[in-house]
Amino acid sequence: MFYAKTKPVQTIREHTDCLVAELERLKSTYGSRFVHMDERMWKLLRLAVEYHDVGKAWPGFQNRLRKQLGEKKLPNTITYSVPHNYLSVGMIPIKKYKLTKEESRLLIHAVGYHHERSELPDKEKIEEILENEMRPYLPQLIDHMKLDIPETFSYKSIARLSKRYSQFDDDFYKYVLLKGLVHRIDHAASAGVDIELHADKHIGAQVTAYMEHKGYAKNELQQFAEANTDKSIIVIAQTGMGKTEAALLWINEDKGFFTLPLRVSINAIYDRILSPQEINYHPEALGLLHSTSNDYLQEKEELDEKWEDIYRHSRHLSSKLLLTTIDQILKFPFGYRGFEKELAAMANAKVVIDEIQAYEPKIAAMLIKALEMIHKIGGKFMVMTATLPTIYLDELKKRNIITESDVGKFINQDITRHRICLRQEGITEVGEEIIEQAKDTQVLVIVNTVRRAVKMYEQLRKIDPEANVYLLHSQFTQEDRKLLEEEIKSFNKPKPGEPRRSGVWVTTQLVEASLDIDFDYLYTEISTLDSFFQRLGRCYRNGKRSPVQPNVYVFTEDVAGLGYIYDADLVKKGLALLQPYQGRILDEQAKVEMVQRLYSRESLANTAFLREFEEALHEFDFLDFYEVTGQEAQKKLRDIQTVQVIPECFFDEIFDLVKEYEKCQVDWKRRQEIRRKIEAKSIGVYRFQAEDKLSTLSGLDNIFILHCGYEFDRESRQGRGIVSDIEITMFS
């Protein structure tokens, strides 16, 4: 008996058969979608699956499993350990299958590195194990696996593992595809999930049915997307034109990944696609994957007990349509060990990148490299945005993955929503004006840092303690921030029969793209143009007529966050472009043209933005792959280490939960539930800014107690959040 696993108990042959079944499922559902998978490649994949775990038959490996099962150990004299995947390579009969030199290298590396190990292959140790401890079991193993295994082990194959593939090799993307599919197939079979789920659930057809039911005609943007489902495209379209529907129509019948910068935005789209009143997509075909998606799914009553399966399928990238953040699926340009799984998942799929301009230049560089890699492995992408920096489009054209005909611009000049007023004063100087304006209207105030937001909130509350003044930023606990997000939406869009309230909400750029809100007036500090135009989308969003008087006031003095939140040079250049629109309507065409001018290579010359973008691109283009782990890549992507903290005033509330969590080692569901309750009191912060104010929380990794004050009244929905003398938030 040769075991592969103990939970559940599976022999190597049984486990291999599970992989074969998933391979056949993949081939039958999306086989025709793989550009690089001809019949020879499918044969190599089948061989990789059949031979990937034969090395587990080594008595040293078997005895670890036998000990767990309480079974008698096999004779075993070698005390050191060698990863089974390296042993498997030596037992592949390369000559029997008449493989070319290139094919044999693909197969050897796909099997040899289907587990990424920190230790490199040691040819002498591998040879000793194969000759002294595997050879006696060879007849039984051949009978068990029903495979040809040569009597003369292939040490030449093992030697070929020493030189790993590089992104400059001709067969690099074939290798990535082969190895990545082995990863996907193996992980799906081991987890007991289908590698591809509900392949017949076409999102495009569902969106068309939804639009017909609502009586909506497809606009030019949606028609463009639908007419170009066979290629990668870029669409530039203003807010409110139905970009989400366009993206889903473009995905059509294919497997799709839909990415957004913020979890809140993703959750909102998830709800909309799932809702019976809206798109009403099949719940088990729709996945959700981000750092807190497990909690979000569990809280959705309509999913009942299905949420666990949905979460598992999301983690294994099995969902027909997966809504996710870029850090979950698009960090493969870092070339971390095991990146092939994520990139191979793109080979038969379509990827949507929404709001690419919202990412900082280093991350935008990573995304452009990711789009190039998706293109080369055979996948397709759609970039959709209200404003696209010119250098991003130029770079995509330069890399020959986008042409001018692949770009669609859709601007409705019939509706003009914003008349701006540039004011040479600080936003904190006009508190009384804001309070007066908010007596019978809804006013949104957006500033650049949390500290400025708190100061503004305190000032407005002092001017009129009876006024409806609320504060929203990222330094509230998860549960309180959720309350505030619900409150701002209900404040802004009351239920039928409820009166529309007046008042002020003071916020940071947190609301730029994450919340569907629509205020009468916007008071904002100047920021970079792309950020500023996002802010405009929260004001007079559904306006039917052009405003006669200014409804957007932009404050250009004593601006918070310049130099560390926003590039001061870019803000200055953007302000110069805005000056001609003083007191005038700022239409959609003007916004697009201004961003194109601001983010052209000529305009960006000698700026930190261009330097960071080009340096990051150069690094990705010449990176030595397999140097970092996935976790290290995640850390690089986030650029800085973040931690979850709980204000010390909540310690007594969570004390019993922490103790129960420590004791609850077996019931993982209960542990998950406890951790979720604890994390509801947490806030994400930069570690380096809060280091001297942190205390460890026993038994909970990466959750700390933060020595600070905290203020929030859950009944009135008012308060300042964290009260600290430093800014420690992930998002200002």
Side-chain angles (χ1 to χ4, degrees), residues 623-661:
L623 196 65
D624 288 329
F625 280 15
Y626 309 109
E627 295 295 316
V628 299
T629 65
Q631 285 184 330
E632 288 167 337
Q634 191 99 352
K635 183 178 174 182
K636 284 188 176 186
L637 177 57
R638 290 175 177 172
D639 206 35
I640 197 160
Q641 189 177 7
T642 58
V643 292
Q644 293 299 113
V645 301
I646 296 174
E648 61 185 334
C649 60
F650 294 120
F651 183 73
D652 288 343
E653 286 187 44
I654 65 169
F655 181 80
D656 290 340
L657 287 171
V658 172
K659 290 300 180 186
E660 185 182 354
Y661 185 85

Side-chain angles (χ1 to χ4, degrees), residues 266-274 286 297 300 303 323:
I266 294 171
N267 291 343
I269 290 181
Y270 179 83
D271 289 344
R272 197 169 158 237
I273 295 175
L274 194 65
L286 182 63
L297 290 168
K300 297 195 73 62
L303 296 180
L323 309 181

Side-chain angles (χ1 to χ4, degrees), residues 50 56 108 152 167 181 215 255 289 344 356 371 391 408 413 436 438 447 482 493 542 575 585 646 648 684 714-715 722:
E50 289 282 6
K56 285 184 175 180
I108 287 165
T152 303
Q167 61 171 317
L181 291 181
K255 181 181 178 71
L289 187 62
I356 193 171
L371 295 179
I391 58 166
Q413 289 291 84
E436 186 64 29
V447 294
K482 184 178 178 182
K493 296 179 180 179
N542 297 312
L575 181 57
I585 289 291
I646 296 174
E648 61 185 334
R714 306 195 88 203
E715 187 172 337
I722 281 184

Side-chain angles (χ1 to χ4, degrees), residues 37 63 68 84 87 156 164 185 224 307 316 351 359 439 451 522 538 543 560 571 590 593 633 647 721 725-726:
M37 290 296 290
N63 285 340
Q68 295 175 31
H84 72 269
L87 300 175
K156 183 179 179 181
R164 296 211 65 168
I185 290 167
F224 175 81
W307 74 267
H316 288 285
V351 186
Y359 298 100
K439 283 184 176 178
R451 182 171 293 174
L522 172 64
R538 310 304 119 193
V571 171
E593 290 174 356
D725 58 348
I726 58 170

Side-chain angles (χ1 to χ4, degrees), residues 45 185 308 339 355 395 414 490 528 582 647 656 692 718:
L45 181 58
I185 290 167
E308 290 183 71
F339 78 91
E355 307 295 359
E395 194 62 42
D414 297 336
S490 64
T528 53
Q582 171 69 288
D656 290 340
D692 61 344
Q718 290 174 317

Side-chain angles (χ1 to χ4, degrees), residues 361-362 365 391 567 569-570 601 604-619:
K362 290 179 183 177
I391 58 166
D567 185 300
D569 288 337
L570 289 182
R601 190 167 292 275
L604 292 172
N606 301 316
T607 63
F609 184 100
L610 183 60
R611 185 169 60 254
E612 287 181 13
F613 177 70
E614 290 189 327
E615 286 177 356
L617 263 181
H618 184 271
E619 181 181 346

